[in-house]
Amino acid sequence: MRKTILLMLFFTFLLVTAGQAQYGIQRSIRNKVRRDAREHAVKEEEKAKAEAEDEAMEKADKELDKAAEAAEPGLEKAEEAEEQAEEATIYGIGKYNEFAEGYEADVESKDPADYKKYRFNSAVVTYDVNGSEEGTKTLYIDMGGYKVAEYREVQHKKSKEKTASIMIGADVIGIDFDDKSATKVHNPLAYALANPDRDWEETAENILEHTGFKKTGQETILGRECDLWQHGKMKIWVWDGLTLKSVYGRDVETATNVQIDKGVPQDVFEVPEGFEYEEINAGDMFPEISEDDAKAAFDEDEDRDEFLDEIENMTYSEYKVIVLEEDPGLSDQEIKQSYLYLRQEAKRRHRIEE
């Protein structure tokens, strides 16, 4: 009897265990089927969405084809104008090269007297500098303006600074005394303006007027009667071509001493020994440009043609994947616009060939 009961309990345990195992297997199968179904549904949804987008973009592209065909005559005229522009550019380059070839020689042969800007021969003017900078400035003029040098020594909040700017003819030299470096650069505008018959006082006034300044009166500084020019909060006091006072917001420069025709030390127009020196000459300002360079600028880019070939045979969904890999931040609208534009550009090549 006892043996019979034990056997019954054993078989009952087997049945329960087998039932649980079978139920677990069935549940796993059901879960997998559900997952597969969901994944399939998502893929089908994405596929349907991509196909719908492709179809919509194809329709939009065809509508643009009609507009592009209507606009083709105007585009052809634009291309004709571009060809004329290319011819004009090549002609202009020829003239430019003629000018550039003789420019450096013309600069070197220029008479220093052509750069004369002042009625006097020499001047030394010292200034007090106040405002965002505190310090002094000294202006040196020689040979009537052929040589001009300006030295500044100013104190900033946490540092001092000493710099100089020298102009000799049409060459400008900037000097940084802290770095012990100097750079010489040719100034084509100074060369172009050099003219012994030019009325520099009139020229200076014209420049001030064109930049918004107006002559508002006269005031005396250091016993010299100055014209007062004003533009908003900016003021300039000018005597005989020299600025004796200037106000730019809180920055004020005021002449404290003026010496006319009493000589100028020539070392103020020289770069100190041992300074690092860089020079950009007149010839460097106008490099030679060949006609081949100009034509190359107008020629079509072969790489771009290859790219347009790919675009022409690419669906929108394929294009979108590539674009988002390069720039994930682009919006759908931006991607659609760029796709349609490139498609039209790609197809237009065939219309031109026909």
Side-chain angles (χ1 to χ4, degrees):
M1 183 69 174
R2 182 179 178 184
K3 184 176 181 181
T4 302
I5 293 172
L6 289 173
L7 286 171
M8 289 177 66
L9 289 172
F10 176 71
F11 284 121
T12 301
F13 173 75
L14 287 177
L15 287 170
V16 171
T17 304
Q20 289 176 342
Q22 185 178 10
Y23 175 75
I25 291 171
Q26 291 174 352
R27 184 172 58 184
S28 298
I29 292 172
R30 283 199 302 272
N31 289 340
K32 185 177 186 305
V33 170
R34 288 172 182 168
R35 284 197 304 272
D36 290 346
R38 282 197 298 269
E39 290 175 1
H40 179 71
V42 170
K43 288 180 180 178
E44 288 298 317
E45 183 181 354
E46 291 176 349
K47 181 180 178 182
K49 182 180 178 182
E51 289 175 352
E53 283 186 330
D54 288 343
E55 184 178 352
M57 295 304 289
E58 284 295 329
K59 289 181 179 178
D61 194 33
K62 288 178 181 178
E63 290 298 320
L64 286 175
D65 285 343
K66 298 176 184 177
E69 289 174 5
E72 191 60 37
L75 293 173
E76 288 177 357
K77 288 183 179 179
E79 286 184 346
E80 290 175 5
E82 185 177 349
E83 290 176 1
Q84 293 174 356
E86 180 179 353
E87 293 174 0
T89 300
I90 293 172
Y91 174 79
I93 285 174
K95 291 296 183 182
Y96 161 84
N97 285 332
E98 289 177 11
F99 165 79
E101 284 176 7
Y103 181 78
E104 193 165 9
D106 291 342
V107 171
E108 291 177 357
S109 63
K110 194 77 168 174
D111 188 343
D114 292 348
Y115 293 93
K116 183 177 175 66
K117 306 178 185 69
Y118 303 98
R119 296 175 187 173
F120 46 81
N121 186 61
S122 67
V124 178
V125 186
T126 55
Y127 300 83
D128 278 342
V129 178
N130 303 104
S132 58
E133 300 175 332
E134 298 288 336
T136 60
K137 181 180 86 171
T138 306
L139 177 67
Y140 301 92
I141 298 171
D142 198 17
M143 299 177 67
Y146 173 68
K147 293 182 178 181
V148 179
E150 179 183 295
Y151 283 74
R152 294 176 66 88
E153 291 188 58
V154 294
Q155 173 72 51
H156 298 283
K157 287 184 178 180
K158 296 183 179 180
S159 63
K160 289 184 178 180
E161 180 182 66
K162 181 180 179 181
T163 58
S165 177
I166 301 170
M167 178 177 283
I168 301 176
D171 292 329
V172 181
I173 304 171
I175 302 176
D176 188 324
F177 287 87
D178 296 327
D179 293 341
K180 292 188 176 181
S181 63
T183 303
K184 176 183 174 182
V185 179
H186 176 73
N187 182 355
L189 179 60
Y191 168 76
L193 290 175
N195 185 337
D197 299 323
R198 181 181 297 280
D199 185 334
W200 275 99
E201 187 172 345
E202 181 182 349
T203 299
E205 290 187 354
N206 287 336
I207 292 173
L208 286 171
E209 288 173 352
H210 278 87
T211 53
F213 280 87
K214 292 183 179 180
K215 190 187 294 186
T216 58
Q218 292 183 321
E219 291 185 12
T220 300
I221 296 178
L222 295 177
R224 293 171 170 82
E225 192 172 287
C226 303
D227 290 329
L228 174 58
W229 292 81
Q230 188 168 355
H231 177 32
K233 295 182 179 180
M234 295 184 290
K235 295 181 180 180
I236 302 174
W237 287 258
V238 180
W239 170 79
D240 211 5
L242 287 175
T243 298
L244 297 188
K245 184 177 180 180
S246 63
V247 176
Y248 295 92
R250 60 187 291 258
D251 295 327
V252 181
E253 294 183 0
T254 308
T256 56
N257 186 272
V258 179
Q259 297 181 19
I260 302 297
D261 288 333
K262 293 185 178 180
V264 178
Q266 291 303 298
D267 60 353
V268 299
F269 302 111
E270 299 172 357
V271 176
E273 290 186 10
F275 276 41
E276 184 179 343
Y277 188 66
E278 182 181 1
E279 188 171 353
I280 302 174
N281 293 315
D284 300 326
M285 302 295 292
F286 299 99
E288 184 177 352
I289 302 175
S290 68
E291 291 185 6
D292 290 338
D293 293 334
K295 290 178 180 178
F298 285 92
D299 288 342
E300 289 188 359
D301 189 343
E302 292 182 3
D303 291 338
R304 183 169 179 78
D305 274 341
E306 292 179 5
F307 173 66
L308 291 176
D309 287 339
E310 294 177 7
I311 291 292
E312 194 170 2
N313 299 307
M314 188 182 296
T315 65
Y316 171 71
S317 55
E318 292 170 337
Y319 175 79
K320 184 177 180 180
V321 170
I322 295 172
V323 170
L324 288 177
E325 285 179 355
E326 295 294 327
D327 190 349
L330 285 176
S331 67
D332 284 346
Q333 187 64 22
E334 290 171 325
I335 298 172
K336 289 176 181 177
Q337 288 175 349
S338 65
Y339 175 74
L340 290 173
Y341 169 78
L342 291 171
R343 287 269 291 188
Q344 286 299 312
E345 189 173 350
K347 288 190 284 187
R348 184 170 183 270
R349 297 173 302 166
H350 305 308
R351 290 198 295 270
I352 294 173
E353 291 172 0
E354 294 172 358

